[in-house]
Amino acid sequence: MNESRLKIFTGNANRPLAQKICQTIGVPLGEATVTSFPDGESFVKINENIRGADVYLIQPTCPPSNHHLMELLIMIDAARRASADRITAVIPFYGYARQDRKDQPRVPITAKLIANLLVAAGANRILTMDLHSQQIQGFFDIPVDHLYASPVFFEYFSKRIKSSNLVVCSPDVGGMKMASAYADVLDAGLGLIGKKRKNATTVEAINLVGHVKGCDVLLVDDITETAGTLTAAAELLRKKGARTVRAAVSHCILSKIAYERLSNGLIDELITTDSVPIKTRGLPIKVLSIAKLLGEAIVRINSNESVTGLFRIKGF
């Protein structure tokens, strides 16, 4: 690792994660002023020399999404104008990822727009984790290192889940590939739930493929915001005789209604990461840190080494 050239900065989206990453790899967090004017405009000033440096800007685009996205874009521009040699946008949670296709008339493909904005601002590379759909990597004309949170989850599961009747279940058709990979690694059964979305916040689980009676079920998904899909799936699984229901979700952007739904006891444990700030509020929510994973990726990119070993897992 070339510590003299490695510089890490962060905005206001998830400063604790950035600090953990720096502690993990033994590099100080860079000094930067990231604030707002009274009218809400973002202001960034990098308070140290980064000429010729390998700069990493850590900023998930979590709520308030637009504000944190603007902070990231302005940080990239500031680094570019300060003559940084290479700028890597480290985006643990890539917002707008669900708007990745034109599935209705006259709607945008916003995930592609965000990619264009990041490149136009001056990013040379993207480091992200568990994109909602992997084809988003193709929206960029610059290198994208796409990590998985699964190694962090598997380490936790190996210590906590001791079940001979484990079933990994996808709460919708789109997550079937992820569920299949988890089932393969955990040597578990596989299930699928068909859902019907009534509106933006309400989901109805209508069918289950697979056997769950008397089993311990693990729901896996990449993102939850209202917990509608998870709780609807958990309710159906309980009705079908599941003994316990856990959920592993990479990014939890929990809203008020999500906390209300999670408090109903349908899900025994929600396991997530600190890709975005999250409050447990006394609920059975376990937050695992991805700081070591991202830190190792930053070190390898800085040293021009392969990051493949960080997610070389059977099934993926």
Side-chain angles (χ1 to χ4, degrees):
M1 180 174 64
N2 190 344
E3 293 187 22
S4 62
R5 294 186 65 250
L6 176 58
K7 300 286 185 179
I8 299 177
F9 299 91
T10 186
N12 296 312
N14 196 349
R15 191 174 183 86
L17 175 60
Q19 291 171 331
K20 289 179 183 177
I21 291 172
C22 289
Q23 291 170 2
T24 298
I25 62 179
V27 173
L29 183 61
E31 291 292 330
T33 301
V34 184
T35 185
S36 298
F37 290 109
D39 64 355
E41 292 182 5
S42 295
F43 171 76
V44 171
K45 181 181 179 182
I46 296 174
N47 299 320
E48 53 188 82
N49 179 20
I50 59 170
R51 184 178 295 273
D54 189 15
V55 174
Y56 296 81
L57 304 173
I58 301 171
Q59 180 88 334
T61 54
C62 50
S65 303
N66 295 341
H67 180 76
H68 288 148
L69 175 61
M70 278 305 301
E71 281 189 355
L72 176 58
L73 294 173
I74 296 171
M75 283 193 294
I76 293 171
D77 186 68
R80 178 173 63 88
R81 296 179 188 277
S83 300
D85 180 54
R86 182 173 65 178
I87 303 167
T88 300
V90 182
I91 312 173
F93 168 66
Y94 185 90
Y96 286 102
R98 286 170 288 185
Q99 300 182 48
D100 62 343
R101 62 195 181 279
K102 197 170 187 293
D103 57 354
Q104 302 175 48
R106 299 173 297 281
V107 298
I109 304 178
T110 317
K112 169 59 176 171
L113 172 62
I114 301 304
N116 290 343
L117 290 172
L118 290 166
V119 174
N124 303 116
R125 193 178 200 96
I126 304 295
L127 174 60
T128 188
M129 189 188 79
D130 277 351
L131 289 168
H132 184 63
S133 52
Q134 295 196 27
Q135 67 263 26
I136 292 175
Q137 297 173 73
F139 293 174
F140 289 90
D141 293 324
I142 58 176
V144 177
D145 290 301
H146 182 213
L147 303 181
Y148 300 97
S150 50
V152 178
F153 284 132
F154 293 148
E155 183 180 355
Y156 178 76
F157 296 155
S158 66
K159 300 174 183 176
R160 291 294 303 271
I161 298 181
K162 306 291 183 183
S163 174
S164 58
N165 294 313
L166 180 64
V167 175
V168 178
C169 192
S170 173
D172 56 37
V173 175
M176 196 60 190
K177 184 178 180 181
M178 176 187 286
S180 178
Y182 273 65
D184 194 18
V185 173
L186 297 172
D187 194 24
L190 183 62
L192 168 66
I193 292 175
K195 72 176 183 181
K196 180 179 180 181
R197 182 169 291 280
K198 295 183 176 180
N199 54 53
T201 61
T202 306
V203 171
E204 180 184 6
I206 56 177
N207 197 19
L208 168 67
V209 178
H211 174 76
V212 298
K213 187 174 182 180
C215 296
D216 298 298
V217 179
L218 176 65
L219 289 164
V220 295
D221 210 348
D222 65 303
I223 180 174
T224 186
E225 183 177 353
T226 65
T229 298
L230 289 179
T231 52
E235 184 176 11
L236 179 60
L237 290 167
R238 296 284 188 183
K239 290 179 180 178
K240 296 295 184 178
R243 184 169 61 183
T244 63
V245 179
R246 291 183 175 90
V249 182
S250 303
H251 313 293
C252 280
I253 321 295
L254 299 181
S255 60
K256 180 180 178 181
I257 191 171
Y259 284 107
E260 293 174 355
R261 286 171 171 166
L262 291 171
S263 66
N264 62 19
L266 289 171
I267 296 177
D268 296 292
E269 183 181 33
L270 173 61
I271 308 136
T272 187
T273 74
D274 57 354
S275 63
V276 300
I278 182 172
K279 297 179 180 178
T280 60
R281 296 189 182 181
L283 295 172
I285 300 175
K286 177 64 178 179
V287 182
L288 308 177
S289 182
I290 55 171
K292 183 178 178 181
L293 180 68
L294 290 174
E296 180 62 26
I298 289 172
V299 169
R300 293 190 182 197
I301 294 170
N302 174 254
S303 303
N304 293 316
E305 298 176 11
S306 173
V307 301
T308 304
L310 298 177
F311 53 87
R312 186 182 289 130
I313 293 175
K314 179 182 175 185
F316 274 84

